[in-house]
């Protein structure tokens, strides 16, 4: 400790300060406390974030791409192979890693948000999330802009109606993967007459046997459409509160048994719920898996139309490969293979013609290839402002929690 | 620095001092571990619970502040859920105790002459643990469903109203909690009763005490440490449980417990301060209840 002090006055002061600090046990403990607080502060600090920029792309040297997606959302064989992904690998030499990592937009967001915020790798180069969530990610500046030079199929085949969306004009950051409807489904044996509108769910004979989705936009979308509100148009608190009143009344009086996400299929299967607000493609899959027991319909007054979208986070290290993957799925032949399996709407022009070659009946399926009439009966839930998103989200969650 | 301590100084002079340094050194990994995985998260949680929303901020944007009102809001909004959680947990604990005590008594005392039976029964208590707790709860969900065997039989016998149902009710949640936490009650009770000195019970009989009196005056007080640890092991996790009461499992919109509220605030509405303050309230209430309970039951040495 008798080394001469450094010349630089700044360093000199620092060294002196360091020497003054005695390492008594209490000081060590105090230091640890301060250290903990500092670490915590670092972990909690929210302000002052700089703009993110895309990570270095190593696509040319590492021929891999990592894709996170929802379950039952890609063609799969009984052996667990994904034929359309195998074709991608054969055509490009890029090895895809496909993970069914997403169960719910919110919980997946919860998992990746810290990395997204810092622009770090989230463990995937590309993931598919629903409109409202990608719109939030765009707002926060978490997504890397797409390079259309790598995606000639997209330029050629993207459905015109999905080219410009209010949350992503010109599709700079996201591209649709699959679309679908929210609507009503019922047990054919218990309700041979079927249902036509959302208000049929409130029939006293169905007391305690009705389920609705825990996705705000789907459930509230159905209810608001039923009350004659155009959910894609200019509506406000009044319309939302009106639909909310109907929902909370039916939760309070026990008409609605449960409010849940993807797992509503279990309730349909064990017949706890006989009628429910559901997602279109699921019912087709469920009928195939568990006997032809249910029927799906768009409500008479319309159902919400949504899309899940490809997005590439800033931290993705194989962006070009991911874009080539998107390009692959915008090939009408490939899109038709996927659509035939997942039963959702492909956003690809020419997929219908290609699907007819696989199975002519597919082209008639309104849930995969809706005609103008069906599309006229469905509406896209308008993008909420961040203020609305917080307010309505809190109200809807409070209802789910019975608060 | 720590290694230098070994190298310098003669061993004789510094013997006691060196000993304490070694003890500190041995404690170091533990202290660092606790710091990193307990203290830092706890401080972080407390600070999150006091955050305030950024003005005109987006969803999930909060800044460091000292907004203690978060706690007031949390209690006034979710007071019912807090009470419900402890109510459910208390009921589940009592049911688990009533069910486990005879079971543990049989395995630990009555079955002593047959060690094989004892072991077999213990395996039967533990065996369900080999299957995921989520899977077992899901299985109950379909067993208890409206069209399932149990509910339709009860309805056929007019023991249940025709339009009544079981899943999605508070009763189902308490049932699920009881079922899932029974082994946590049975095992400590067994470990205690297995060592019960039966001569004391016989002595009770010799002194003309009725079996019930002997049980309450001799057996129960002797098994108190087992009861206390079983109750703690059941009550604490049950109060914070968010699986059984979740709509995905046995619950419904009217059964949400505090764990579900925290999950929803954290993951869905991204209201981190609310979730954090509720977590702290949950921890504080449990801590107070446990301390009072241990003081009352006269087993402070467990602490």
């Amino acid at each position: 400790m008798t080394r001469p002090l450094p010349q630089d006055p700044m360093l000199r002061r620092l060294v002196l300060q360091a020497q003054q600090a005695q390492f008594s046990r209490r000081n060590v403990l105090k230091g640890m406390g301060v250290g903990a607080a500092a670490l915590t502060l670092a972990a909690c600090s929210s302000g002052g974030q700089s703009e993110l920029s895309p990570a270095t792309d190593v696509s040319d040297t590492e021929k891999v791409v990592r894709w996170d997606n929802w379950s039952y959302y890609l063609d799969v064989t009984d052996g667990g192979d994904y034929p359309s992904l195998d074709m991608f690998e054969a055509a490009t030499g890029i090895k895809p890693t496909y993970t069914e990592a997403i169960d719910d937009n919110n919980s997946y967001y919860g998992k990746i948000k810290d990395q997204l915020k810092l622009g770090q790798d989230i463990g995937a180069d590309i993931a598919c999330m629903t409109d409202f969530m990608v719109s939030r990610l765009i707002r926060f500046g978490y997504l890397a802009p797409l390079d259309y030079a790598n995606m000639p199929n997209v330029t050629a085949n993207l459905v015109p109606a999905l080219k410009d969306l209010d949350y992503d004009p010109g599709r700079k950051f996201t591209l649709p993967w699959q679309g679908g409807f929210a609507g009503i489904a019922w047990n054919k044996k218990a309700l041979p007459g079927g249902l036509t509108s959302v208000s049929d769910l409130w029939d006293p004979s169905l007391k305690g046997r009705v389920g609705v989705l825990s996705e705000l936009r789907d459930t509230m979308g159905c209810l608001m459409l039923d009350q004659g509100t155009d959910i894609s148009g200019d509506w406000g608190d009044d319309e939302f509160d009106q639909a909310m009143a109907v929902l909370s009344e039916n939760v309070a009086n026990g008409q609605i048994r449960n409010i849940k996400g993807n797992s509503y299929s279990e309730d349909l299967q064990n017949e706890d719920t006989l009628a429910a607000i559901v997602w279109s493609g699921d019912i087709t899959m469920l009928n195939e898996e568990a006997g032809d027991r249910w029927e799906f319909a768009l409500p008479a007054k319309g159902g919400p139309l949504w899309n899940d979208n490809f997005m590439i986070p800033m931290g993705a290290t194989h962006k070009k490969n991911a874009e080539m993957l998107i390009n692959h799925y915008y090939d009408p032949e490939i899109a038709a293979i996927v659509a035939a399996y997942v039963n959702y709407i492909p956003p690809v022009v020419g997929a219908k013609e290609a699907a007819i070659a696989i199975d002519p009946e597919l082209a008639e399926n309104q849930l995969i290839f809706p005609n103008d009439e069906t599309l006229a009966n469905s509406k896209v839930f308008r993008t909420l402002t961040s203020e609305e998103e917080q307010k309505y989200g809190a109200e809807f969650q409070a209802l789910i929690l019975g608060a | 620095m720590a290694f230098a301590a070994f190298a310098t100084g003669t061993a004789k002079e510094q013997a006691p001092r060196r000993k304490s340094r070694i003890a500190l050194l041995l404690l170091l990994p533990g202290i660092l571990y606790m710091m990193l995985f307990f203290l830092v998260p706890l401080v972080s949680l407390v600070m999150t619970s006091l955050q305030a929303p950024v003005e005109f901020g987006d969803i999930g944007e909060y800044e460091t502040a000292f907004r203690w009102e978060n706690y007031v809001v949390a209690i006034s909004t979710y007071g019912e859920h807090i009470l419900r959680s402890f109510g459910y947990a208390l009921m589940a604990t009592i049911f688990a105790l009533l069910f486990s005590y005879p079971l543990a008594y049989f395995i630990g005392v009555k079955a002593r002459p047959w060690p094989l039976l004892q072991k077999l029964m213990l395996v039967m208590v533990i065996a369900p643990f080999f299957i995921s707790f989520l899977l077992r709860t899901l299985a109950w969900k379909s067993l208890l469903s409206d069209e399932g065997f149990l509910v339709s039989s009860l309805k056929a016998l007019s023991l249940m109203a025709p339009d009544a149902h079981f899943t999605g009710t508070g009763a189902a949640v308490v049932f699920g909690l009881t079922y899932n936490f029974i082994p946590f009650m049975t095992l400590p009770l067994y470990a205690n009763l297995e060592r019960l000195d039966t001569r004391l019970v016989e002595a009770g009989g010799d002194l003309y005490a009725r079996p019930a009196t002997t049980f309450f005056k001799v057996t129960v007080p002797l098994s108190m440490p087992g009861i206390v640890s079983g109750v703690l092991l059941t009550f604490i996790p049950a109060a914070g449980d968010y699986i059984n009461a979740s709509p995905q499992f046995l619950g419904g919109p009217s059964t949400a417990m505090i764990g579900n509220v925290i999950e929803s605030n954290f993951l869905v509405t991204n209201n981190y301060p609310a979730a954090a303050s509720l977590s702290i309230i949950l921890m504080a209430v449990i801590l107070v209840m446990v301390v009072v309970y241990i003081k009352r039951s006269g087993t402070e040495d467990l602490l």
Side-chain angles (χ1 to χ4, degrees):
Chain A
M1 286 290 164
T2 49
R3 238 192 292 172
L5 290 170
Q7 292 301 309
D8 187 311
M10 175 85 120
L11 284 178
R12 209 183 170 90
R13 212 163 55 228
L14 280 172
V15 171
L16 280 172
Q17 263 178 17
Q19 282 178 350
Q20 274 168 3
Q22 298 255 329
F23 273 89
S24 75
R25 204 175 303 179
R26 184 175 297 173
N27 271 337
V28 170
L29 281 175
K30 210 191 279 171
M32 289 202 280
V34 173
L39 262 174
T40 314
L41 268 174
C44 297
S45 66
S46 51
Q49 58 172 290
S50 53
E51 247 177 64
L52 302 171
S53 57
T56 319
D57 194 350
V58 293
S59 289
D60 293 327
T61 48
E62 284 179 28
K63 292 280 177 199
V64 295
V65 61
R66 299 158 302 164
W67 182 12
D68 277 4
N69 206 351
W70 301 62
S71 50
Y72 295 119
Y73 224 17
L74 191 63
D75 52 313
V76 63
T77 63
D78 292 339
D81 290 328
Y82 301 100
S84 64
L85 269 186
D86 293 342
M87 289 179 209
F88 172 69
E89 191 175 355
T92 60
I94 297 167
K95 188 164 175 45
T97 313
Y98 184 73
T99 318
E100 292 185 346
I102 311 175
D103 178 55
D104 173 282
N105 281 300
N106 288 309
S107 57
Y108 187 71
Y109 174 71
K111 204 160 88 180
I112 62 173
K113 71 177 173 57
D114 295 324
Q115 282 90 337
L116 282 177
K117 191 180 221 167
L118 299 170
Q120 289 173 355
D121 188 6
I122 62 163
D125 298 308
I126 185 162
C128 297
M129 301 188 87
T130 310
D131 293 321
F132 81 93
M133 189 54 83
V134 291
S135 113
R136 185 192 297 176
L137 301 183
I138 293 173
R139 218 162 62 210
F140 282 146
Y142 289 168
L143 302 185
L146 298 169
D147 182 0
Y148 277 74
N150 296 325
M151 306 183 291
N153 286 344
V154 176
T155 316
N157 301 329
L158 173 61
V159 172
L162 292 171
K163 264 183 186 151
D164 272 304
L165 291 186
D166 53 0
Y167 64 79
D168 190 7
R171 285 285 182 186
K172 287 197 195 70
F173 299 97
T174 62
L175 280 166
W177 158 241
Q178 301 286 320
F181 303 106
I184 44 179
W186 62 90
N187 186 310
K188 285 194 280 194
K189 200 176 75 199
L191 298 162
L195 305 176
T196 52
S197 77
V198 175
S199 27
D200 290 348
L201 294 172
W202 318 139
D203 189 279
S205 67
L206 283 171
K207 189 172 161 61
R209 309 300 285 270
V210 176
V212 300
L213 291 168
S214 55
E215 263 323 326
L216 184 152
R217 286 156 186 80
D218 296 322
T219 294
M220 294 307 284
C222 278
L223 265 75
M224 288 165 74
L225 282 166
D226 193 55
Q227 295 179 337
T229 306
D230 177 1
I231 54 169
S232 61
D234 192 24
W235 52 268
D237 288 359
D238 291 344
E239 287 84 357
F240 186 85
D241 292 345
Q242 224 177 321
M244 204 62 188
V246 173
L247 188 63
S248 61
E249 183 198 328
N250 283 293
V251 170
N253 68 19
Q255 180 79 17
I256 292 174
R257 170 74 155 272
N258 227 332
I259 307 171
K260 58 207 288 188
N262 246 330
S263 55
Y264 68 80
S265 59
E266 292 153 18
D267 290 24
L268 285 174
Q269 285 190 54
N270 67 26
E271 300 186 351
D272 272 2
T273 52
L274 298 174
I277 295 180
V278 301
W279 288 306
S280 54
D282 291 7
I283 298 302
T284 321
M285 297 270 291
L286 201 59
N287 276 332
E288 257 166 49
E289 264 181 21
D292 189 17
R293 280 151 67 191
W294 300 274
E295 196 164 327
F296 175 87
L298 268 182
K301 290 187 179 168
L305 170 67
W306 46 262
N307 269 286
D308 285 341
N309 305 274
F310 284 118
M311 57 97 176
I312 303 179
M314 282 290 190
T317 47
H318 307 94
K319 180 166 170 278
K320 190 179 158 204
N321 292 349
E323 284 159 350
M324 288 170 78
L325 182 85
I326 300 178
N327 188 51
H328 174 70
Y329 283 99
Y330 271 79
D331 178 338
E333 308 274 334
I334 307 293
I337 295 175
V338 176
Y341 181 83
V342 302
N343 285 292
Y344 281 109
I345 310 166
V348 181
V349 175
K352 187 172 181 178
E353 290 70 26
I356 294 173
I358 302 176
D359 177 1
E361 269 181 39
L362 282 176
E364 294 302 310
N365 189 333
Q366 286 303 303
L367 303 182
I368 307 178
F369 299 110
N371 57 26
D372 291 345
E373 198 183 328
T374 311
L375 283 177
N377 201 20
S378 63
K379 296 278 183 204
V380 177
F381 201 92
R382 81 166 162 83
T383 305
L384 302 176
T385 65
S386 91
E387 194 190 338
E388 287 172 328
E389 189 173 349
Q390 294 174 66
K391 181 163 167 268
Y392 296 154
E395 280 180 39
F396 189 69
Q397 280 306 310
L399 183 97
I400 293 180
L401 293 169
Chain B
M1 200 178 73
F3 286 105
F6 290 109
T8 59
T10 52
K12 247 182 201 170
E13 270 174 18
Q14 299 197 339
R17 192 173 160 72
R18 211 181 94 184
K19 210 171 165 186
S20 78
R21 284 210 176 169
I22 290 179
L24 257 183
L25 192 70
L26 288 173
L27 270 176
L28 201 63
I31 291 176
L32 283 179
Y33 185 89
M34 289 296 277
M35 284 274 312
L36 205 59
F37 296 107
F38 179 73
L39 200 61
V40 173
L42 187 69
V43 173
S44 162
L45 192 68
V46 172
M47 290 181 55
T48 308
S49 74
L50 295 168
Q51 281 179 343
V54 177
E55 210 179 344
F56 308 116
D58 211 317
I59 188 163
E61 285 191 334
Y62 295 90
E63 60 192 358
T64 314
F66 188 74
R67 221 172 101 107
W68 54 269
E69 293 96 329
N70 287 342
Y71 286 86
V72 181
V73 173
I75 291 175
S76 62
T77 318
Y78 299 112
E80 193 192 336
H81 297 75
I82 298 174
L83 288 179
R84 185 187 292 148
S85 300
F86 288 111
Y88 283 176
L90 192 69
M91 282 195 271
T93 310
I94 292 171
F95 287 131
L97 182 64
L98 291 179
F99 187 87
S100 294
Y101 202 96
L103 182 66
Y105 191 82
F106 183 82
I107 305 175
V109 181
K110 292 285 170 194
R112 276 184 199 173
W114 310 285
L116 189 68
L117 179 69
Q118 257 185 325
K119 286 183 185 118
L120 206 67
M121 290 192 70
L122 271 184
V123 168
M124 282 166 71
V125 172
I126 304 167
F129 266 78
F130 296 137
I131 303 167
S132 155
F133 143 66
L134 301 178
L135 268 176
R136 282 181 285 129
T137 313
L138 273 183
W140 274 115
K141 183 177 150 53
S142 49
L143 287 174
L144 300 172
S145 67
D146 290 16
E147 308 296 326
F149 170 75
L150 194 80
V151 171
S152 38
S153 311
L154 286 175
K155 282 183 181 170
L157 294 169
S158 297
L159 289 173
M160 242 174 122
D163 62 343
H165 51 76
F166 195 62
T167 54
T169 63
V173 176
V174 173
F175 172 86
L177 288 171
T178 310
Y179 165 77
N180 279 311
F181 290 108
I182 269 182
F184 293 97
M185 183 66 95
T186 310
L187 293 177
L189 276 175
Y190 162 77
N192 180 277
L193 287 168
E194 196 237 334
R195 284 177 283 130
L196 178 75
D197 190 344
T198 45
R199 288 173 304 180
L200 294 174
V201 180
E202 283 162 20
D206 292 345
L207 294 169
Y208 296 102
R210 281 181 295 124
T213 316
T214 318
F215 178 74
F216 286 111
K217 295 269 182 200
V218 179
T219 316
V220 171
L222 281 175
S223 58
M224 215 52 198
I227 296 177
V228 171
S229 46
V231 165
L232 293 181
L233 283 177
T234 310
F235 182 80
I236 298 174
D241 184 85
Y242 66 100
I243 299 295
N244 288 286
S246 128
Q248 262 83 296
F249 291 87
L250 296 166
S254 60
T255 66
M257 288 170 69
I258 195 74
N260 304 96
V261 177
I262 294 173
E263 186 200 18
S264 153
N265 269 303
F266 202 87
L267 284 180
V268 185
T269 42
N270 293 352
N271 190 348
Y272 308 121
S277 49
L278 283 165
S279 306
I280 295 203
I281 293 169
L282 177 68
M283 279 199 287
V285 175
I286 288 181
L287 196 68
V288 170
M289 288 173 92
V290 166
V291 169
V292 170
Y293 173 68
I294 290 181
K295 289 263 176 215
R296 277 284 176 97
S297 59
T299 43
E300 285 98 331
D301 49 329
L302 274 177
L303 273 183

